Amino acid sequence: MGRQERVVRELVGAHGRTYAEEAGIRLKDTPQPLYRLLVLSHLLSARIRGSIALATARALHEAGLRDPRRMARAAWQERVDALGRGGYRRYDERTATQLGDAAELLNDRWGGDLRRLRGEADGEVPELRRLLQEFPGMGPAGADIFLREAQGVWPEAAPYLDAKALQGAERLNLPKEPKRLVALAGDTDPAVLAAALVRAAVDKEVAEDTLGRAR
């Protein structure tokens, strides 16, 4: 086994956990888990610590705001309060509005089901990325997070290793070509690989730990 393969193996073995899994989302190609991933992607895309975004995603779920109909029906203050319980205070008022508006858009245009958005994109990943950005608060970073995590259940998006994941590869002295990275990872789920690479990008200690393990 070459050094690069060892690096990928150690990275995935120690840090290969998707953000959806960490937020308590059992991701499947069904409406509620996909919607919870959309909300998580929105939260993670802000300039705020990932741990706060994850805690806030769990707080929204615990408040019952786990599908677009409940999110749209909830009072604005109810959304603000749930965001606050997760620690998402810096952006809570704006985000509460965006989550409500995004839920209404999903309900009105796609019947509350992101699989219909996927069908509208007809397998075209750039179109998927564009449509995701129609949700208020979901810019390019949020769309990338969603597709990185969803590629395990939406295989047409795989391998989806965006700029942030490739930044992690660079920090680990790995190739920056998605197909080469996937080949080095063998049977690893591309979503798991992507999450592990992102963790190396955002946390220097993850990269140092991985390189140390691979010596």
Side-chain angles (χ1 to χ4, degrees), residues 83-108:
L83 290 163
R85 285 193 294 275
Y88 210 82
R89 295 185 179 87
R90 184 178 174 189
Y91 303 103
D92 54 353
E93 295 188 357
R94 182 181 68 181
T95 302
T97 299
Q98 290 173 338
L99 288 174
D101 292 345
E104 288 184 6
L105 174 62
L106 180 55
N107 289 329
D108 293 345

Short mmCIF file of all heavy atoms in Angstrom, two decimals, residues 83-108:
data_model
loop_
_atom_site.label_atom_id
_atom_site.label_comp_id
_atom_site.label_asym_id
_atom_site.label_seq_id
_atom_site.Cartn_x
_atom_site.Cartn_y
_atom_site.Cartn_z
N LEU A 83 -33.51 28.14 17.18
CA LEU A 83 -32.15 28.49 16.74
C LEU A 83 -31.30 28.93 17.93
O LEU A 83 -30.14 28.56 18.05
CB LEU A 83 -32.21 29.60 15.68
CG LEU A 83 -32.79 29.19 14.32
CD1 LEU A 83 -33.17 30.43 13.51
CD2 LEU A 83 -31.76 28.35 13.53
N GLY A 84 -31.91 29.70 18.82
CA GLY A 84 -31.19 30.17 19.99
C GLY A 84 -30.78 29.03 20.91
O GLY A 84 -29.68 29.03 21.47
N ARG A 85 -31.66 28.04 21.05
CA ARG A 85 -31.32 26.90 21.91
C ARG A 85 -30.12 26.13 21.37
O ARG A 85 -29.38 25.52 22.13
CB ARG A 85 -32.53 25.97 22.05
CG ARG A 85 -33.61 26.51 22.98
CD ARG A 85 -34.62 25.45 23.35
NE ARG A 85 -35.40 25.00 22.21
CZ ARG A 85 -36.51 25.61 21.78
NH1 ARG A 85 -36.95 26.71 22.38
NH2 ARG A 85 -37.19 25.14 20.76
N GLY A 86 -29.94 26.17 20.06
CA GLY A 86 -28.77 25.51 19.46
C GLY A 86 -27.52 26.36 19.52
O GLY A 86 -26.44 25.88 19.16
N GLY A 87 -27.65 27.61 19.95
CA GLY A 87 -26.50 28.49 20.01
C GLY A 87 -26.30 29.34 18.77
O GLY A 87 -25.29 30.03 18.63
N TYR A 88 -27.29 29.32 17.87
CA TYR A 88 -27.17 30.01 16.57
C TYR A 88 -27.69 31.44 16.71
O TYR A 88 -28.55 31.88 15.96
CB TYR A 88 -28.00 29.24 15.54
CG TYR A 88 -27.51 29.29 14.11
CD1 TYR A 88 -26.51 28.45 13.67
CD2 TYR A 88 -28.08 30.16 13.19
CE1 TYR A 88 -26.09 28.45 12.36
CE2 TYR A 88 -27.66 30.17 11.86
CZ TYR A 88 -26.66 29.32 11.47
OH TYR A 88 -26.24 29.34 10.16
N ARG A 89 -27.14 32.18 17.66
CA ARG A 89 -27.73 33.48 18.01
C ARG A 89 -27.31 34.61 17.08
O ARG A 89 -28.05 35.56 16.89
CB ARG A 89 -27.40 33.82 19.46
CG ARG A 89 -28.04 32.84 20.43
CD ARG A 89 -27.81 33.22 21.87
NE ARG A 89 -28.47 32.26 22.76
CZ ARG A 89 -27.90 31.13 23.17
NH1 ARG A 89 -26.68 30.83 22.78
NH2 ARG A 89 -28.54 30.31 23.97
N ARG A 90 -26.14 34.52 16.52
CA ARG A 90 -25.63 35.62 15.70
C ARG A 90 -26.51 35.88 14.48
O ARG A 90 -26.68 37.00 14.03
CB ARG A 90 -24.20 35.32 15.28
CG ARG A 90 -23.53 36.43 14.50
CD ARG A 90 -22.10 36.04 14.19
NE ARG A 90 -21.47 37.01 13.31
CZ ARG A 90 -20.28 36.83 12.75
NH1 ARG A 90 -19.59 35.72 12.99
NH2 ARG A 90 -19.77 37.74 11.95
N TYR A 91 -27.08 34.79 13.94
CA TYR A 91 -27.87 34.90 12.71
C TYR A 91 -29.31 34.47 12.92
O TYR A 91 -30.01 34.16 11.95
CB TYR A 91 -27.25 34.02 11.61
CG TYR A 91 -25.81 34.30 11.29
CD1 TYR A 91 -24.79 33.48 11.75
CD2 TYR A 91 -25.47 35.39 10.50
CE1 TYR A 91 -23.46 33.73 11.43
CE2 TYR A 91 -24.15 35.65 10.17
CZ TYR A 91 -23.15 34.82 10.66
OH TYR A 91 -21.84 35.09 10.34
N ASP A 92 -29.78 34.42 14.17
CA ASP A 92 -31.04 33.74 14.43
C ASP A 92 -32.24 34.40 13.77
O ASP A 92 -33.09 33.71 13.18
CB ASP A 92 -31.29 33.57 15.94
CG ASP A 92 -31.20 34.89 16.71
OD1 ASP A 92 -30.83 35.91 16.12
OD2 ASP A 92 -31.51 34.87 17.92
N GLU A 93 -32.34 35.73 13.79
CA GLU A 93 -33.53 36.38 13.25
C GLU A 93 -33.59 36.25 11.73
O GLU A 93 -34.62 35.90 11.16
CB GLU A 93 -33.57 37.84 13.69
CG GLU A 93 -33.73 37.99 15.20
CD GLU A 93 -33.95 39.43 15.62
OE1 GLU A 93 -33.92 40.33 14.75
OE2 GLU A 93 -34.18 39.65 16.83
N ARG A 94 -32.47 36.52 11.07
CA ARG A 94 -32.45 36.39 9.61
C ARG A 94 -32.67 34.94 9.18
O ARG A 94 -33.41 34.66 8.24
CB ARG A 94 -31.11 36.90 9.06
CG ARG A 94 -31.01 36.87 7.54
CD ARG A 94 -29.66 37.35 7.05
NE ARG A 94 -28.59 36.42 7.41
CZ ARG A 94 -27.31 36.62 7.13
NH1 ARG A 94 -26.93 37.73 6.53
NH2 ARG A 94 -26.39 35.73 7.47
N THR A 95 -32.01 34.02 9.88
CA THR A 95 -32.13 32.61 9.52
C THR A 95 -33.55 32.10 9.76
O THR A 95 -34.06 31.29 8.98
CB THR A 95 -31.11 31.77 10.31
OG1 THR A 95 -29.79 32.26 10.03
CG2 THR A 95 -31.18 30.30 9.92
N ALA A 96 -34.20 32.57 10.81
CA ALA A 96 -35.59 32.16 11.07
C ALA A 96 -36.48 32.55 9.90
O ALA A 96 -37.36 31.77 9.48
CB ALA A 96 -36.10 32.79 12.36
N THR A 97 -36.27 33.74 9.36
CA THR A 97 -37.04 34.18 8.20
C THR A 97 -36.72 33.34 6.98
O THR A 97 -37.62 32.88 6.26
CB THR A 97 -36.75 35.66 7.91
OG1 THR A 97 -37.14 36.44 9.05
CG2 THR A 97 -37.52 36.14 6.69
N GLN A 98 -35.43 33.10 6.74
CA GLN A 98 -35.02 32.32 5.56
C GLN A 98 -35.55 30.89 5.62
O GLN A 98 -36.01 30.36 4.60
CB GLN A 98 -33.49 32.31 5.46
CG GLN A 98 -32.90 33.66 5.09
CD GLN A 98 -31.38 33.67 5.18
OE1 GLN A 98 -30.78 32.85 5.87
NE2 GLN A 98 -30.76 34.59 4.46
N LEU A 99 -35.50 30.27 6.78
CA LEU A 99 -36.00 28.90 6.90
C LEU A 99 -37.50 28.83 6.61
O LEU A 99 -37.97 27.89 5.96
CB LEU A 99 -35.71 28.34 8.30
CG LEU A 99 -34.24 28.02 8.60
CD1 LEU A 99 -34.09 27.61 10.06
CD2 LEU A 99 -33.72 26.92 7.69
N GLY A 100 -38.24 29.82 7.07
CA GLY A 100 -39.67 29.86 6.78
C GLY A 100 -39.94 30.05 5.30
O GLY A 100 -40.78 29.35 4.71
N ASP A 101 -39.23 30.98 4.70
CA ASP A 101 -39.41 31.25 3.26
C ASP A 101 -38.99 30.06 2.41
O ASP A 101 -39.65 29.72 1.42
CB ASP A 101 -38.63 32.49 2.85
CG ASP A 101 -39.18 33.78 3.46
OD1 ASP A 101 -40.32 33.75 3.96
OD2 ASP A 101 -38.46 34.80 3.44
N ALA A 102 -37.89 29.42 2.80
CA ALA A 102 -37.41 28.26 2.05
C ALA A 102 -38.40 27.10 2.14
O ALA A 102 -38.65 26.40 1.14
CB ALA A 102 -36.04 27.82 2.57
N ALA A 103 -38.98 26.91 3.31
CA ALA A 103 -39.97 25.83 3.48
C ALA A 103 -41.20 26.10 2.62
O ALA A 103 -41.75 25.17 1.99
CB ALA A 103 -40.37 25.71 4.95
N GLU A 104 -41.64 27.35 2.57
CA GLU A 104 -42.79 27.69 1.73
C GLU A 104 -42.48 27.43 0.25
O GLU A 104 -43.33 26.91 -0.49
CB GLU A 104 -43.17 29.14 1.96
CG GLU A 104 -43.83 29.38 3.31
CD GLU A 104 -44.31 30.81 3.48
OE1 GLU A 104 -44.23 31.59 2.50
OE2 GLU A 104 -44.76 31.15 4.59
N LEU A 105 -41.27 27.78 -0.18
CA LEU A 105 -40.88 27.53 -1.57
C LEU A 105 -40.88 26.04 -1.87
O LEU A 105 -41.41 25.60 -2.91
CB LEU A 105 -39.50 28.13 -1.84
CG LEU A 105 -38.90 27.83 -3.23
CD1 LEU A 105 -39.77 28.41 -4.34
CD2 LEU A 105 -37.48 28.39 -3.32
N LEU A 106 -40.32 25.25 -0.97
CA LEU A 106 -40.27 23.81 -1.18
C LEU A 106 -41.68 23.23 -1.24
O LEU A 106 -41.97 22.38 -2.10
CB LEU A 106 -39.46 23.15 -0.05
CG LEU A 106 -39.31 21.63 -0.10
CD1 LEU A 106 -38.73 21.16 -1.43
CD2 LEU A 106 -38.43 21.16 1.06
N ASN A 107 -42.55 23.70 -0.37
CA ASN A 107 -43.94 23.20 -0.37
C ASN A 107 -44.66 23.60 -1.66
O ASN A 107 -45.34 22.78 -2.28
CB ASN A 107 -44.69 23.77 0.83
CG ASN A 107 -44.23 23.16 2.14
OD1 ASN A 107 -43.82 22.00 2.19
ND2 ASN A 107 -44.30 23.94 3.22
N ASP A 108 -44.52 24.86 -2.05
CA ASP A 108 -45.29 25.38 -3.18
C ASP A 108 -44.79 24.84 -4.51
O ASP A 108 -45.60 24.53 -5.40
CB ASP A 108 -45.23 26.91 -3.20
CG ASP A 108 -45.95 27.53 -2.00
OD1 ASP A 108 -46.72 26.81 -1.34
OD2 ASP A 108 -45.72 28.72 -1.72
#
